[in-house]
Amino acid sequence: MKKKSSIVFILNPHSGTQSKMQLPALIDSTLNKEKFCHKVLFTEYPGHAADIAKQCVDANTDIVVAVGGDGTINEVARSIVHTQTALGIIPCGSGNGLARHLCIPLDPRKAIDIINNCKIEALDYGVINNLPFFCTCGMGFDAFISLKFAEAGKRGPITYIENVLREGLKYKPETYEVEDETGTKKYKAYLIACANASQYGNNAYIAPKATMTDGLMDVIVMEPFTAFDAPQISIDLMNRTLDMNSKIKTFRAKSIHIHRSKPGAIHFDGDPIMTGSDIDVHIEAQGIRIITNPDETEDPRQPNQMLNAFSIFFNNINNVREDIEKQGRRIQAINKALLRKLTGN
């Protein structure tokens, strides 16, 4: 008789916006008992998921399932990297960025079905200043908003949007020196994000073409923009077209070093922390084993037609505005030339 795989579900009762008290019964009724022997454990304090996962590794547990959001997944995953213990995911957070990238269903019953299938892949993860991340990390505006989000006291996309709208236009861009394998470049940027996966969560695609199987991270530099540019950037973020925006610079790298003028916040999978002026980010190729969806190799979500229409509209307005600005500069130059001739200067 084939030995059953051991599996531990680590459930964070505080992640996301909905109660999870019904999940142990759902797990018990849906999990394939012929393949798995399981237990469900609840976290009791911040960092507890990481402690439980480490104990599972020490006990040679085959699979540890994070039941929660990206923060819970990060805690569990960072304790099992470079081990034979695999990560499973039942997404119950407010953003669920990693689960969405991996096409793990948000319906818990369907997510358990993915676990029953048990297709395990070795995937990449990232490290920023010795802190593992599995979806995205960054500095600048997104780290600033992560701080505001953490201070808000409530979860969900509405809170995130409120913070972005309230704080966005007051935020001042910073100057960054970014060094990779090709050399050093200086950017004045609103934010710099490093993406192992494609999105922040809630289908906000910061790196539409990112993959967890290439041993590289997508580096996104968002240059300064005006209130007039903001709607187009927001549309592109949700429409998987951000990499086509003129305010966005992207490149891929295995590792980068970033220097900024002063200490400040960074985030790793949405969790903010204050750090110094120098930041190192790199990718650990195939460093974690994860249960993935065998029926999906790419997010099936297509660009939204309504968003496309708005995108075209705002791009046309931007083109007109740029033409007006160019004409204005040309007229100013002609006026200055005429003034010099008239005054003899």
Side-chain angles (χ1 to χ4, degrees):
M1 183 177 177
K2 187 178 179 181
K3 181 183 175 183
K4 294 181 181 181
S5 297
S6 56
I7 182 168
V8 175
F9 294 81
I10 301 176
L11 196 155
N12 179 357
H14 303 297
S15 65
T17 57
Q18 297 180 349
S19 172
K20 298 167 192 64
M21 293 302 102
Q22 80 285 357
L23 285 178
L26 180 65
I27 291 167
D28 189 67
S29 64
T30 309
L31 190 70
N32 186 337
K33 303 291 184 52
E34 294 183 1
K35 293 176 68 172
F36 304 107
C37 58
H38 82 285
K39 65 173 67 174
V40 179
L41 302 176
F42 286 81
T43 62
E44 299 174 2
Y45 52 83
H48 194 196
D51 294 339
I52 297 173
K54 178 64 168 63
Q55 293 167 10
C56 290
V57 170
D58 292 342
N60 296 315
T61 303
D62 295 305
I63 300 165
V64 180
V65 180
V67 187
D70 287 322
T72 305
I73 292 169
N74 183 289
E75 281 194 34
V76 173
R78 69 187 186 227
S79 293
I80 66 174
V81 295
H82 303 294
T83 74
Q84 288 303 302
T85 300
L87 171 71
I89 300 171
I90 298 179
C92 299
S94 53
N96 303 307
L98 186 59
R100 290 177 191 269
H101 174 87
L102 294 172
C103 303
I104 305 297
L106 301 188
D107 180 331
R109 186 181 298 275
K110 292 180 179 178
I112 297 169
D113 287 339
I114 299 295
I115 293 167
N116 282 334
N117 191 284
C118 204
K119 177 190 176 186
I120 298 175
E121 291 186 74
L123 300 178
D124 305 338
Y125 75 95
V127 181
I128 178 169
N129 279 9
N130 297 318
L131 298 167
F133 68 93
F134 302 87
C135 204
T136 63
C137 73
M139 61 218 70
F141 183 65
D142 59 350
F144 173 73
I145 288 298
S146 293
L147 277 175
K148 293 294 181 183
F149 188 73
E151 295 166 358
K154 50 181 181 173
R155 312 293 283 178
I158 298 301
T159 301
Y160 187 83
I161 291 169
E162 286 175 351
N163 281 321
V164 169
L165 293 176
R166 186 183 306 113
E167 306 292 343
L169 297 178
K170 296 187 292 184
Y171 189 83
K172 302 299 183 186
E174 297 183 62
T175 299
Y176 300 90
E177 293 179 6
V178 181
E179 180 183 356
D180 68 356
E181 297 91 337
T182 65
T184 302
K185 294 181 180 178
K186 184 176 287 189
Y187 299 97
K188 187 174 185 181
Y190 204 57
L191 65 83
I192 295 181
C194 300
N196 183 46
S198 58
Q199 61 168 284
Y200 286 136
N202 291 308
N203 290 323
Y205 289 86
I206 185 66
K209 293 183 173 62
T211 171
M212 297 176 68
T213 58
D214 62 356
L216 300 170
M217 58 184 157
D218 285 37
V219 183
I220 302 92
V221 180
M222 184 177 290
E223 297 180 333
F225 59 87
T226 67
F228 200 89
D229 300 310
Q232 176 63 49
I233 290 173
S234 299
I235 288 169
D236 287 336
L237 188 67
M238 304 305 294
N239 208 29
R240 299 185 72 168
T241 53
L242 191 66
D243 53 332
M244 301 178 189
N245 191 289
S246 63
K247 298 295 181 181
I248 304 299
K249 299 288 184 289
T250 63
F251 62 94
R252 288 193 170 108
K254 181 172 176 58
S255 64
I256 60 172
H257 175 81
I258 300 172
H259 177 76
R260 55 186 176 182
S261 58
K262 58 184 178 181
I266 60 172
H267 81 86
F268 54 105
D269 289 338
D271 282 339
I273 188 172
M274 299 299 291
T275 190
S277 302
D278 290 285
I279 301 157
D280 289 291
V281 192
H282 74 273
I283 287 291
E284 292 280 343
Q286 299 183 349
I288 183 166
R289 303 173 77 238
I290 301 180
I291 295 178
T292 60
N293 187 338
D295 299 320
E296 298 287 353
T297 56
E298 186 175 336
D299 193 319
R301 182 176 180 269
Q302 298 298 316
N304 182 289
Q305 295 304 311
M306 182 65 75
L307 289 178
N308 269 339
F310 276 112
S311 177
I312 293 168
F313 171 74
F314 280 113
N315 269 328
N316 287 339
I317 291 177
N318 268 334
N319 290 337
V320 171
R321 184 195 63 172
E322 289 173 1
D323 286 343
I324 291 171
E325 288 176 351
K326 288 177 182 176
Q327 291 296 329
R329 288 194 293 269
R330 184 168 175 270
I331 291 169
Q332 285 180 349
I334 292 171
N335 286 341
K336 286 181 181 178
L338 287 172
L339 185 61
R340 282 197 297 269
K341 286 184 179 180
L342 291 171
T343 59
N345 294 327

